[in-house]
Amino acid sequence: MVNVKRLPGPILDAYEWQYQGACMGVDSSVFFSPEAERGAKRERREEAAKRLCRQCPVIDRCREHALAVREPYGVWGGLTEGERAAIARQEKIAS
């Protein structure tokens, strides 16, 4: 008989928190920049994404996910790509 305890849990269990996010149904272009977006336009888009994140009931879980898997793009858990990269650098220095 197969030892099911060794099998990974259902994927839905790991990501179900995303269904509770304030971003559900919001166009992904709010969170992910188009190619070559820079300057004030990028800053305005990122701030709009962060405003949504600040009211999100799963912001902490989203941020934990993004940092754990090193999400390379977009705003996750109220953090931009650059902010997450800075946290990762600090963690690397601290360890």
Side-chain angles (χ1 to χ4, degrees):
M1 188 159 185
V2 174
N3 181 358
V4 295
K5 290 182 181 183
R6 291 186 353 202
L7 297 173
I11 291 177
L12 182 60
D13 289 349
Y15 295 100
E16 191 170 29
W17 58 268
Q18 291 181 348
Y19 290 110
Q20 300 165 13
C23 59
M24 277 300 290
V26 176
D27 191 282
S28 64
S29 66
V30 172
F31 299 93
F32 298 94
S33 67
E35 193 171 327
E37 180 188 50
R38 303 222 188 295
K41 188 172 183 177
R42 182 180 187 123
E43 290 172 14
R44 284 191 303 271
R45 182 192 48 76
E46 289 176 340
E47 187 51 41
K50 287 179 172 188
R51 273 194 304 277
L52 281 170
C53 292
R54 283 193 290 272
Q55 63 181 334
C56 184
V58 294
I59 187 174
D60 294 331
R61 180 65 185 98
C62 183
R63 182 179 296 136
E64 289 168 10
H65 162 79
L67 292 169
V69 302
R70 309 260 186 202
E71 284 288 351
Y73 305 109
V75 174
W76 288 79
L79 298 175
T80 64
E81 302 159 17
E83 292 165 338
R84 291 192 307 278
I87 291 170
R89 283 192 299 275
Q90 289 292 28
E91 289 175 350
K92 188 174 183 179
I93 291 170
S95 60

